[in-house]
Amino acid sequence: MSQYVETKKKKDFLTIGELSTEEINELLSEAVHLKKEQKQGNAKPYLKGKVLGMIFEKSSTRTRVAFEVGMLQLGGEALFLSSKDIQLGRGETIHDTAKVLSRYVDALMIRTFAHETVEEFAKYATVPIINGLTDLHHPTQVIADLLTIYEYKGKLSGLKVCYIGDGNNNMCHSLLEGAMKVGIHISVSSPKGYEPNQAIVEQVKQEAQAKGLQVEFGHDPEDMIKDADVVITDVWTSMGQEEETQKRLQAFSAYQVNESLCKLAKEDYLFLHCLPAHRGEEVTAEIIDGPHSAVFDEAENRLHAHKAILKKLLEK
């Protein structure tokens, strides 16, 4: 059962794969609506009196600011909870923390390492749980990405997205799931040993076959990027992998998104990156700061995507 669908208990937002196409489209429509209201100065306090607790085990810029500002713009409040400052960091169980915080706040957003952590919070909390990022999934970012692609391309279904870089990455996993939900063809190019999670790959392949979508995996980025409408990459070394930096720089050296590679994409391709970016590593400055890049519109859309998620989960 989709964890987005309301049950007698609550709703959660843990992965893109647990949402239906209809639910994703509803979130995108809501994000468009909320963005228009905000731009026109007509923001409404839909969540007046609501409080979002935000637990961070990983550092953050966009996730924290977008959720905090989003709650304020919706008329509610947000509470930052560092795992170092709450008892969770001193050995209190997730079971106890989830049950206690459920008595104080109306929802919890968690940005952490192990995906099992947010699943355990969802199991024991009596308020909605939002996955702000885990090592396995990054669903809130992908809602923002889909919103950005729609704004630039005017559609989602039938487009081709190419992801280049670390395939065993939360962005890649959530992009794969999101593409299948909205009818996007997707290709992934990554070095050997850095392919996407096999369970997610098998699930996505089954969904692609059922829907007549193309999903390709390959080690040659030139093959994968051909005729792409959207090109996406991410850092080569994610949080928690710092000790592997030099090894990864060597492994990914042929996977840089640059002008030469992007000439194989469609002439009007769109470039996205969830940020932070390392210019000169996974992408050149000419691409990320060039005319095809929409990374700052994408970053802004985190705000509107988060607001849509919050409103859907918390509004009566």
Side-chain angles (χ1 to χ4, degrees):
M1 178 182 291
S2 168
Q3 293 199 28
Y4 182 75
V5 177
E6 187 160 17
T7 66
K8 292 180 180 179
K9 184 180 179 183
K10 59 184 172 109
K11 297 176 285 187
D12 296 310
F13 185 86
L14 303 186
T15 72
I16 293 292
E18 292 167 336
L19 305 181
S20 68
T21 298
E22 187 175 56
E23 288 165 344
I24 291 178
N25 287 334
E26 286 177 0
L27 284 174
L28 294 174
S29 295
E30 188 69 73
V32 170
H33 172 71
L34 292 171
K35 183 174 183 177
K36 183 177 180 180
E37 281 191 343
Q38 188 63 37
K39 296 293 185 182
Q40 293 177 343
N42 296 323
K44 298 178 179 62
Y46 296 105
L47 300 184
K48 184 178 180 179
K50 301 289 186 180
V51 178
L52 172 70
M54 305 186 301
I55 298 175
F56 286 87
E57 290 189 315
K58 284 189 174 185
S59 58
S60 168
T61 298
R62 282 150 291 275
T63 299
R64 177 180 176 179
V65 176
F67 270 113
E68 193 160 342
V69 172
M71 277 301 289
L72 292 173
Q73 290 182 355
L74 290 168
E77 296 184 35
L79 183 64
F80 175 79
L81 302 168
S82 169
S83 62
K84 297 177 182 178
D85 299 329
I86 61 176
Q87 297 300 325
L88 188 65
R90 297 181 63 241
E92 184 171 34
T93 65
I94 291 175
H95 172 278
D96 291 357
T97 302
K99 287 189 172 296
V100 168
L101 292 179
S102 294
R103 305 294 182 100
Y104 296 145
V105 301
D106 299 287
L108 281 168
M109 187 284 299
I110 303 162
R111 183 177 171 93
T112 187
F113 293 90
H115 189 71
E116 291 77 14
T117 298
V118 295
E119 291 180 326
E120 193 170 355
F121 264 101
K123 179 179 179 180
Y124 295 114
T126 56
V127 297
I129 299 298
I130 300 170
N131 176 9
L133 174 144
T134 66
D135 287 344
L136 195 61
H137 294 281
H138 199 354
T140 58
Q141 176 67 55
V142 169
I143 297 298
D145 287 2
L146 294 176
L147 175 60
T148 308
I149 295 169
Y150 178 77
E151 287 178 337
Y152 273 82
K153 296 297 183 181
K155 65 176 184 177
L156 294 173
S157 180
L159 296 176
K160 176 183 176 180
V161 167
C162 177
Y163 175 89
I164 297 173
D166 187 1
N168 192 18
N169 167 286
N170 49 27
M171 269 305 303
C172 182
H173 295 154
S174 289
L175 276 169
L176 283 165
E177 293 183 338
M180 295 301 99
K181 299 297 180 180
V182 298
I184 288 176
H185 308 292
I186 188 167
S187 60
V188 174
S189 183
S190 54
K192 291 182 180 180
Y194 296 92
E195 295 89 351
N197 176 279
Q198 193 58 37
I200 293 174
V201 167
E202 292 304 319
Q203 176 187 340
V204 166
K205 283 183 175 180
Q206 290 179 13
E207 196 163 354
Q209 185 174 14
K211 294 183 176 180
L213 295 173
Q214 294 179 355
V215 55
E216 300 175 279
F217 301 92
H219 299 302
D220 187 344
E222 292 188 356
D223 285 342
M224 295 296 102
I225 200 173
K226 286 179 181 177
D227 298 321
D229 296 284
V230 184
V231 178
I232 301 179
T233 190
D234 195 3
V235 294
W236 291 341
T237 305
S238 298
M239 285 177 283
Q241 300 171 337
E242 288 79 9
E243 293 182 358
E244 303 176 23
T245 298
Q246 291 306 313
K247 176 184 175 182
R248 285 172 171 269
L249 285 174
Q250 293 179 359
F252 289 96
S253 61
Y255 292 82
Q256 182 185 76
V257 178
N258 52 41
E259 288 186 338
S260 176
L261 183 62
C262 288
K263 285 180 180 178
L264 299 172
K266 285 188 177 176
E267 189 175 347
D268 62 345
Y269 78 90
L270 184 70
F271 174 76
L272 298 179
H273 189 308
C274 64
L275 302 180
H278 296 157
R279 288 166 173 79
E281 290 185 14
E282 73 272 9
V283 62
T284 61
E286 290 78 11
I287 295 298
I288 194 170
D289 299 320
H292 294 275
S293 176
V295 297
F296 297 110
D297 289 330
E298 176 188 12
E300 179 192 336
N301 279 338
R302 290 291 296 278
L303 171 63
H304 310 298
H306 291 182
K307 288 168 68 174
I309 294 166
L310 290 165
K311 186 171 181 289
K312 284 290 185 181
L313 291 176
L314 291 176
E315 190 177 39
K316 291 182 179 179

mmCIF file of all heavy atoms in Angstrom, residues 10 23-24 46 50 96 117 133 137 180 188 194 203 213 220 228 237 262 286 301 307 313:
data_model
loop_
_atom_site.group_PDB
_atom_site.id
_atom_site.type_symbol
_atom_site.label_atom_id
_atom_site.label_comp_id
_atom_site.label_asym_id
_atom_site.label_seq_id
_atom_site.Cartn_x
_atom_site.Cartn_y
_atom_site.Cartn_z
ATOM 1 N N LYS A 10 -1.962 7.696 9.608
ATOM 2 C CA LYS A 10 -1.335 8.916 9.108
ATOM 3 C C LYS A 10 -0.872 8.704 7.680
ATOM 4 O O LYS A 10 -1.107 7.661 7.076
ATOM 5 C CB LYS A 10 -0.139 9.278 9.969
ATOM 6 C CG LYS A 10 0.912 8.176 10.003
ATOM 7 C CD LYS A 10 2.059 8.511 10.944
ATOM 8 C CE LYS A 10 2.970 7.314 11.085
ATOM 9 N NZ LYS A 10 4.258 7.441 10.450
ATOM 10 N N GLU A 23 -0.598 10.626 -7.570
ATOM 11 C CA GLU A 23 -0.141 11.341 -6.382
ATOM 12 C C GLU A 23 0.998 12.301 -6.713
ATOM 13 O O GLU A 23 1.047 13.427 -6.197
ATOM 14 C CB GLU A 23 0.289 10.333 -5.316
ATOM 15 C CG GLU A 23 -0.872 9.599 -4.683
ATOM 16 C CD GLU A 23 -0.450 8.371 -3.901
ATOM 17 O OE1 GLU A 23 0.692 7.885 -4.077
ATOM 18 O OE2 GLU A 23 -1.271 7.878 -3.111
ATOM 19 N N ILE A 24 1.918 11.875 -7.584
ATOM 20 C CA ILE A 24 3.012 12.757 -7.987
ATOM 21 C C ILE A 24 2.468 13.945 -8.770
ATOM 22 O O ILE A 24 2.872 15.096 -8.549
ATOM 23 C CB ILE A 24 4.058 11.989 -8.812
ATOM 24 C CG1 ILE A 24 4.788 10.985 -7.920
ATOM 25 C CG2 ILE A 24 5.053 12.954 -9.454
ATOM 26 C CD1 ILE A 24 5.799 10.133 -8.634
ATOM 27 N N TYR A 46 -2.108 28.089 5.109
ATOM 28 C CA TYR A 46 -2.783 26.790 5.076
ATOM 29 C C TYR A 46 -2.463 25.940 6.304
ATOM 30 O O TYR A 46 -3.274 25.120 6.717
ATOM 31 C CB TYR A 46 -2.373 26.008 3.821
ATOM 32 C CG TYR A 46 -2.794 26.648 2.518
ATOM 33 C CD1 TYR A 46 -1.866 27.292 1.700
ATOM 34 C CD2 TYR A 46 -4.123 26.594 2.084
ATOM 35 C CE1 TYR A 46 -2.242 27.859 0.488
ATOM 36 C CE2 TYR A 46 -4.507 27.156 0.876
ATOM 37 C CZ TYR A 46 -3.569 27.792 0.084
ATOM 38 O OH TYR A 46 -3.944 28.364 -1.108
ATOM 39 N N LYS A 50 0.513 24.713 12.818
ATOM 40 C CA LYS A 50 1.222 23.438 12.665
ATOM 41 C C LYS A 50 2.717 23.630 12.909
ATOM 42 O O LYS A 50 3.289 24.672 12.588
ATOM 43 C CB LYS A 50 1.015 22.865 11.268
ATOM 44 C CG LYS A 50 -0.441 22.598 10.903
ATOM 45 C CD LYS A 50 -1.007 21.426 11.679
ATOM 46 C CE LYS A 50 -2.413 21.084 11.191
ATOM 47 N NZ LYS A 50 -2.992 19.948 11.942
ATOM 48 N N ASP A 96 11.539 5.358 21.115
ATOM 49 C CA ASP A 96 11.155 6.323 22.144
ATOM 50 C C ASP A 96 11.141 7.748 21.599
ATOM 51 O O ASP A 96 10.240 8.532 21.904
ATOM 52 C CB ASP A 96 12.112 6.238 23.334
ATOM 53 C CG ASP A 96 11.947 4.933 24.117
ATOM 54 O OD1 ASP A 96 11.062 4.134 23.761
ATOM 55 O OD2 ASP A 96 12.707 4.724 25.079
ATOM 56 N N THR A 117 16.489 4.108 9.083
ATOM 57 C CA THR A 117 16.186 5.056 10.165
ATOM 58 C C THR A 117 14.843 5.730 9.943
ATOM 59 O O THR A 117 14.011 5.810 10.865
ATOM 60 C CB THR A 117 17.295 6.119 10.293
ATOM 61 O OG1 THR A 117 18.532 5.473 10.618
ATOM 62 C CG2 THR A 117 16.962 7.127 11.388
ATOM 63 N N LEU A 133 16.265 13.026 3.110
ATOM 64 C CA LEU A 133 17.397 12.418 2.405
ATOM 65 C C LEU A 133 17.915 11.265 3.236
ATOM 66 O O LEU A 133 18.035 11.369 4.456
ATOM 67 C CB LEU A 133 18.535 13.430 2.172
ATOM 68 C CG LEU A 133 19.840 12.892 1.559
ATOM 69 C CD1 LEU A 133 20.466 13.918 0.615
ATOM 70 C CD2 LEU A 133 20.852 12.522 2.649
ATOM 71 N N HIS A 137 17.708 7.082 -0.819
ATOM 72 C CA HIS A 137 16.665 7.833 -1.524
ATOM 73 C C HIS A 137 16.736 9.328 -1.222
ATOM 74 O O HIS A 137 17.140 9.733 -0.124
ATOM 75 C CB HIS A 137 15.280 7.326 -1.116
ATOM 76 C CG HIS A 137 14.982 5.923 -1.530
ATOM 77 N ND1 HIS A 137 14.609 5.574 -2.811
ATOM 78 C CD2 HIS A 137 15.009 4.760 -0.829
ATOM 79 C CE1 HIS A 137 14.405 4.270 -2.886
ATOM 80 N NE2 HIS A 137 14.651 3.751 -1.688
ATOM 81 N N MET A 180 9.806 6.554 -13.943
ATOM 82 C CA MET A 180 8.811 5.527 -14.258
ATOM 83 C C MET A 180 7.396 6.005 -13.934
ATOM 84 O O MET A 180 6.440 5.684 -14.645
ATOM 85 C CB MET A 180 9.107 4.253 -13.471
ATOM 86 C CG MET A 180 10.415 3.565 -13.836
ATOM 87 S SD MET A 180 10.527 3.078 -15.589
ATOM 88 C CE MET A 180 11.502 4.442 -16.263
ATOM 89 N N VAL A 188 21.203 5.657 -17.505
ATOM 90 C CA VAL A 188 22.156 5.883 -16.420
ATOM 91 C C VAL A 188 23.521 5.387 -16.862
ATOM 92 O O VAL A 188 23.661 4.245 -17.301
ATOM 93 C CB VAL A 188 21.728 5.146 -15.128
ATOM 94 C CG1 VAL A 188 22.810 5.288 -14.053
ATOM 95 C CG2 VAL A 188 20.394 5.680 -14.629
ATOM 96 N N TYR A 194 29.904 0.957 -9.475
ATOM 97 C CA TYR A 194 29.119 2.077 -8.947
ATOM 98 C C TYR A 194 27.724 2.114 -9.580
ATOM 99 O O TYR A 194 27.121 3.172 -9.739
ATOM 100 C CB TYR A 194 29.843 3.397 -9.197
ATOM 101 C CG TYR A 194 31.160 3.506 -8.462
ATOM 102 C CD1 TYR A 194 32.346 3.105 -9.073
ATOM 103 C CD2 TYR A 194 31.220 3.983 -7.159
ATOM 104 C CE1 TYR A 194 33.565 3.187 -8.402
ATOM 105 C CE2 TYR A 194 32.434 4.078 -6.478
ATOM 106 C CZ TYR A 194 33.602 3.678 -7.103
ATOM 107 O OH TYR A 194 34.805 3.766 -6.439
ATOM 108 N N GLN A 203 13.075 -3.461 -9.937
ATOM 109 C CA GLN A 203 11.738 -2.886 -9.803
ATOM 110 C C GLN A 203 11.440 -1.917 -10.942
ATOM 111 O O GLN A 203 10.351 -1.932 -11.531
ATOM 112 C CB GLN A 203 11.632 -2.160 -8.461
ATOM 113 C CG GLN A 203 10.301 -1.438 -8.242
ATOM 114 C CD GLN A 203 10.320 -0.604 -6.965
ATOM 115 O OE1 GLN A 203 11.133 -0.830 -6.067
ATOM 116 N NE2 GLN A 203 9.452 0.378 -6.899
ATOM 117 N N LEU A 213 8.281 1.954 -21.375
ATOM 118 C CA LEU A 213 9.308 2.984 -21.238
ATOM 119 C C LEU A 213 10.690 2.380 -21.417
ATOM 120 O O LEU A 213 10.906 1.197 -21.155
ATOM 121 C CB LEU A 213 9.221 3.650 -19.860
ATOM 122 C CG LEU A 213 7.950 4.443 -19.577
ATOM 123 C CD1 LEU A 213 7.913 4.895 -18.121
ATOM 124 C CD2 LEU A 213 7.863 5.657 -20.500
ATOM 125 N N ASP A 220 29.340 3.548 -20.763
ATOM 126 C CA ASP A 220 29.824 4.558 -21.694
ATOM 127 C C ASP A 220 28.881 5.760 -21.674
ATOM 128 O O ASP A 220 27.752 5.681 -22.172
ATOM 129 C CB ASP A 220 29.893 3.984 -23.107
ATOM 130 C CG ASP A 220 30.545 4.939 -24.096
ATOM 131 O OD1 ASP A 220 30.665 6.145 -23.775
ATOM 132 O OD2 ASP A 220 30.933 4.488 -25.189
ATOM 133 N N ALA A 228 19.386 13.025 -25.286
ATOM 134 C CA ALA A 228 18.759 13.303 -23.993
ATOM 135 C C ALA A 228 18.141 14.697 -23.967
ATOM 136 O O ALA A 228 18.735 15.665 -24.444
ATOM 137 C CB ALA A 228 19.784 13.180 -22.877
ATOM 138 N N THR A 237 31.544 12.249 -4.680
ATOM 139 C CA THR A 237 31.758 11.794 -3.303
ATOM 140 C C THR A 237 30.687 12.400 -2.415
ATOM 141 O O THR A 237 30.688 13.608 -2.169
ATOM 142 C CB THR A 237 33.149 12.204 -2.788
ATOM 143 O OG1 THR A 237 34.157 11.721 -3.686
ATOM 144 C CG2 THR A 237 33.392 11.647 -1.396
ATOM 145 N N CYS A 262 28.088 16.864 -23.834
ATOM 146 C CA CYS A 262 26.721 17.373 -23.985
ATOM 147 C C CYS A 262 26.348 17.678 -25.433
ATOM 148 O O CYS A 262 25.160 17.854 -25.737
ATOM 149 C CB CYS A 262 26.528 18.617 -23.120
ATOM 150 S SG CYS A 262 26.457 18.242 -21.346
ATOM 151 N N GLU A 286 31.512 25.689 -17.503
ATOM 152 C CA GLU A 286 30.834 26.083 -18.744
ATOM 153 C C GLU A 286 29.432 25.500 -18.846
ATOM 154 O O GLU A 286 28.523 26.113 -19.419
ATOM 155 C CB GLU A 286 31.659 25.640 -19.965
ATOM 156 C CG GLU A 286 32.941 26.398 -20.172
ATOM 157 C CD GLU A 286 34.058 25.954 -19.246
ATOM 158 O OE1 GLU A 286 33.903 24.899 -18.574
ATOM 159 O OE2 GLU A 286 35.094 26.646 -19.200
ATOM 160 N N ASN A 301 12.994 25.585 -6.549
ATOM 161 C CA ASN A 301 11.819 24.710 -6.579
ATOM 162 C C ASN A 301 11.796 23.706 -5.441
ATOM 163 O O ASN A 301 10.761 23.092 -5.178
ATOM 164 C CB ASN A 301 11.726 23.996 -7.933
ATOM 165 C CG ASN A 301 11.113 24.891 -9.000
ATOM 166 O OD1 ASN A 301 10.412 25.850 -8.684
ATOM 167 N ND2 ASN A 301 11.369 24.585 -10.259
ATOM 168 N N LYS A 307 6.765 22.693 0.123
ATOM 169 C CA LYS A 307 5.490 23.243 0.581
ATOM 170 C C LYS A 307 4.325 22.368 0.124
ATOM 171 O O LYS A 307 3.368 22.139 0.877
ATOM 172 C CB LYS A 307 5.319 24.676 0.066
ATOM 173 C CG LYS A 307 6.233 25.669 0.765
ATOM 174 C CD LYS A 307 6.268 27.014 0.059
ATOM 175 C CE LYS A 307 4.944 27.747 0.164
ATOM 176 N NZ LYS A 307 5.045 29.109 -0.417
ATOM 177 N N LEU A 313 0.352 16.583 3.331
ATOM 178 C CA LEU A 313 0.426 15.729 4.507
ATOM 179 C C LEU A 313 -0.296 16.291 5.718
ATOM 180 O O LEU A 313 -0.836 15.533 6.543
ATOM 181 C CB LEU A 313 1.893 15.486 4.880
ATOM 182 C CG LEU A 313 2.732 14.622 3.938
ATOM 183 C CD1 LEU A 313 4.169 14.581 4.416
ATOM 184 C CD2 LEU A 313 2.175 13.221 3.824
#
